[in-house]
Amino acid sequence: MATQDIIARSATTTASPSVRQFDEVAKLIDTTVCIGCKACQVACSEWNDLRDEVGDNVGVYDNPSDLTADSWTVMRFDEHETSEGDLEWLIRKDGCMHCEDPGCLKACPSPGAIVKYDNGIVDFDQDKCIGCGYCVTGCPFDVPRISKKDNKAYKCTLCSDRVSVGLEPACVKTCPTGAIVFGTKDEMKEHANWRIQDLKGRGYENAGIYDPQGVGGTHVMYVLHHADKPQLYSDLPKDPAISPLVGAWKGVAKPLAMLAMAATAAAGFFHYIRIGPNRVSKEDEAAVEHDAAQAGTNSPDAGGTSDER
Amino acid sequence: MNGNENQDLQRYNANERSNHWAVALLFVLAALSGLALFHPALFWLTNLFGGGPWTRILHPFIGVAMMLFFLGLAFRFAGRNRFKAHDRQWLSQWRDVISNQEENLPRIGKYNAGQKLLFWVLVISMLALLFSGIVIWREYFSDFFGIGMIRFASLLHAFAAFVLITSIIVHVYAAIWVKGSVGAMTSGKVSRAWARKHHALWYDEVRKNQR
């Protein structure tokens, strides 16, 4: 994408180019239609040329068991027993949510290593990444991973390379049930509303969209059967937001600390100019000579008491 | 027997001076590399360390080295930095201190209350930096800690570094302001008049020991 399309940039305190108008995009993941086939995982590694190490089965369907620097999306499986005693298999495709207000971008200290495009995609530039892991600290969804091979941060790009030339993300293209759809954010909301109405008609009273406003909304949204309890879906946070600790660290602390340090140095400078240095005076030197003379004639204790002035 | 009555007084020996300057040099490197990662306006400082990734790699090692040398310094100087009754009086007369009206102040030993305060602030901020720094040392240690702990440590690390850097600005200015002080840490010597004016009890003590 052109540099004009970058509307937010890590470690940058001035405005990014913002005159162009662009429709925000979104990926909608309908958990109620997902069958957990993991074709999206395969398509992701296929398109992005990622080959994660073959791991161990941890006793459940989750495989790999967590996001890694080489697995940018994973299916998370949860068995949920409803109050009626029915079993529901809640499957959620996990990965970067592409927040409108990204915690990773806020935390990143390297200018331009994390950018947000005007279509809403949040992307990492590994060339500028320094490997500090602050993006991991900042993310409310526990998504970025630092590679053990190169100490760079990786996560889902929402296939920004495909989207920029008018293609849908690889996971969307491959999904066999249409559980993953892609378009403008408005279209996706409309699509979600239609799905939610359908679900409500089938008895899922709490069906709803997951587009958390604590991070300004996301460019990856979910349709959930139980939108009132997103935690059921492998701990999807109910009200995600940038942690106040990260907010303080990367917000008010930066200018305040810089100002206070500069003010301390300035206070020293002006103290020197207004009041001036503290010098040893002629009288102080004379007193020392007096002490020495006394020490020569008096008892050894004399030096200790002779300097009262 | 009083042949040395005109010589300057030894304030720090060669080991103490070397230790001090080792900490000081490592502090400058740690502060510059840390500030580079703290505020975007100072990210250019990463160029001094060979770029962003090198700054990220070096900073924690520099910090640990500074901490080790600082521990040496702290053990050398801790005994002389215990607060005494006259320190409260000295601090309450801070207006006399900053307006160079030293004759109004109580007679003090090797360190005044301001220096003692600085010493303990440095001890606390250094320890806070060490522990929070380990938690946020992503390459080796962060995997052992929860995200809440890492976030808290990140903020604490920045705050402790701010306290440390500000304290050192005050420390450096005090050395510029009170003339005759710098020699204590270069040649190790101060003039008798300097000692008598600023650290009268220490002056008495040294003279007594010389006899």
Side-chain angles (χ1 to χ4, degrees):
Chain A
M1 272 184 257
T3 49
Q4 286 178 62
D5 296 317
I6 291 172
I7 54 163
R9 198 171 171 274
S10 57
T12 303
T13 45
T14 51
S16 296
S18 49
V19 295
R20 290 223 304 203
Q21 297 292 314
F22 205 91
D23 281 337
E24 288 182 25
V25 297
K27 180 165 78 180
L28 182 69
I29 302 168
D30 188 345
T31 59
T32 67
V33 182
C34 176
I35 56 171
C37 68
K38 300 178 186 166
C40 52
Q41 287 184 201
V42 175
C44 179
S45 58
E46 187 76 8
W47 175 258
N48 292 298
D49 288 323
L50 303 167
R51 298 294 181 272
D52 205 347
E53 264 179 54
V54 178
D56 296 313
N57 187 298
V58 294
V60 290
Y61 273 80
D62 302 40
N63 179 25
S65 59
D66 196 9
L67 296 169
T68 70
D70 303 291
S71 296
W72 297 347
T73 187
V74 294
M75 320 253 35
R76 298 189 185 276
F77 297 79
D78 252 313
E79 290 167 19
H80 169 57
E81 207 179 316
T82 64
S83 45
E84 287 88 48
D86 293 336
L87 185 73
E88 284 179 351
W89 210 14
L90 305 179
I91 308 164
R92 176 167 70 88
K93 175 190 182 300
D94 196 10
C96 178
M97 299 296 286
H98 296 272
C99 304
E100 182 61 21
D101 182 15
C104 57
L105 189 147
K106 191 178 181 77
C108 176
S110 180
I114 302 180
V115 295
K116 195 180 81 177
Y117 297 119
D118 50 12
N119 62 12
I121 293 178
V122 179
D123 219 350
F124 287 5
D125 181 347
Q126 279 78 19
D127 189 41
K128 293 179 183 148
C129 174
I130 66 168
C132 62
Y134 288 180
C135 51
V136 182
T137 308
C139 177
F141 294 98
D142 186 25
V143 164
R145 294 290 184 272
I146 308 289
S147 168
K148 294 285 176 200
K149 285 179 215 149
D150 57 13
N151 281 299
K152 304 284 180 198
Y154 294 92
K155 68 164 189 70
C156 159
T157 66
L158 207 63
C159 283
S160 56
D161 49 349
R162 291 175 57 90
V163 172
S164 66
V165 293
L167 299 171
E168 72 276 61
C171 56
V172 177
K173 185 167 176 79
T174 203
C175 181
T177 64
I180 318 175
V181 284
F182 181 81
T184 67
K185 183 149 180 177
D186 289 340
E187 283 168 2
M188 291 304 103
K189 279 182 173 169
E190 221 168 284
H191 185 99
N193 281 338
W194 166 72
R195 284 295 306 139
I196 290 159
Q197 270 177 3
D198 179 59
L199 284 163
K200 284 187 171 163
R202 290 159 184 259
Y204 289 103
E205 295 153 24
N206 295 314
I209 192 169
Y210 185 81
D211 179 25
Q213 294 307 302
V215 290
T218 52
H219 296 274
V220 171
M221 302 184 293
Y222 291 110
V223 171
L224 306 174
H225 341 55
H226 308 289
D228 55 327
K229 289 181 210 145
Q231 310 93 298
L232 293 178
Y233 300 79
S234 304
D235 298 321
L236 184 63
K238 189 164 170 61
D239 289 307
I242 296 177
S243 157
L245 291 169
V246 174
W249 171 41
K250 288 293 169 175
V252 68
K254 289 197 292 185
L256 267 188
M258 295 288 280
L259 196 69
M261 287 186 284
T264 307
F269 178 79
F270 284 104
H271 177 266
Y272 201 86
I273 296 301
R274 292 169 65 91
I275 296 169
N278 185 342
R279 289 184 203 280
V280 171
S281 63
K282 287 261 170 2
E283 294 88 74
D284 296 317
E285 280 162 10
V288 167
E289 280 168 29
H290 176 72
D291 290 346
Q294 276 212 325
T297 54
N298 290 357
S299 67
D301 292 326
T305 51
S306 64
D307 56 359
E308 255 102 44
R309 283 191 290 161
Chain B
M1 71 183 201
N2 288 307
N4 52 10
E5 276 284 353
N6 297 317
Q7 284 174 5
D8 285 346
L9 301 180
Q10 180 88 26
R11 191 161 164 85
Y12 294 112
N13 65 32
N15 285 343
E16 290 167 335
R17 283 166 1 236
S18 304
N19 196 336
H20 170 270
W21 287 112
V23 175
L25 292 172
L26 289 163
F27 164 79
V28 169
L29 295 175
L32 291 177
S33 54
L35 285 169
L37 303 183
F38 174 65
H39 197 289
L42 299 178
F43 189 77
W44 60 274
L45 289 169
T46 56
N47 290 330
L48 301 176
F49 299 86
W54 268 114
T55 305
R56 182 264 303 166
I57 292 165
L58 290 173
H59 175 79
F61 288 105
I62 296 169
V64 167
M66 171 177 77
M67 188 68 208
L68 290 176
F69 282 105
F70 179 78
L71 279 179
L73 207 61
F75 280 115
R76 286 175 200 278
F77 297 162
R80 289 283 197 167
N81 278 287
R82 291 201 191 96
F83 281 101
K84 301 247 171 74
H86 59 239
D87 289 321
R88 187 182 294 272
Q89 177 64 28
W90 192 95
L91 282 176
S92 72
Q93 284 179 254
W94 62 272
R95 283 186 185 79
D96 286 325
V97 176
I98 62 164
S99 54
N100 297 339
Q101 309 284 314
E102 240 172 315
E103 52 278 10
N104 301 334
L105 296 167
R107 289 158 53 82
I108 46 153
K110 189 166 185 180
Y111 296 114
N112 65 43
Q115 290 170 302
K116 290 179 183 179
L117 203 58
L118 177 91
F119 177 84
W120 292 109
V121 168
L122 295 188
V123 169
I124 292 166
S125 57
M126 287 270 191
L127 288 173
L129 283 167
L130 175 72
F131 291 121
S132 59
I134 287 171
V135 174
I136 63 174
W137 198 344
R138 174 63 56 181
E139 195 169 356
Y140 306 114
F141 299 111
S142 289
D143 289 345
F144 300 113
F145 300 96
I147 188 72
M149 178 69 120
I150 293 172
R151 286 173 182 156
F152 174 72
S154 301
L155 185 60
L156 177 65
H157 199 75
F159 179 73
F162 161 71
V163 171
L164 176 63
I165 293 170
T166 308
S167 304
I168 295 300
I169 292 172
V170 173
H171 177 59
V172 169
Y173 175 66
I176 297 170
W177 164 38
V178 182
K179 296 296 174 195
S181 304
V182 174
M185 268 305 167
T186 51
S187 64
K189 301 237 162 80
V190 290
S191 73
R192 284 172 182 266
W194 183 94
R196 189 179 184 284
K197 181 179 172 71
H198 302 303
H199 300 278
L201 295 178
W202 177 70
Y203 168 75
D204 293 348
E205 184 190 317
V206 176
R207 290 182 69 231
K208 203 183 260 178
N209 291 341
Q210 278 180 347
R211 279 189 209 112

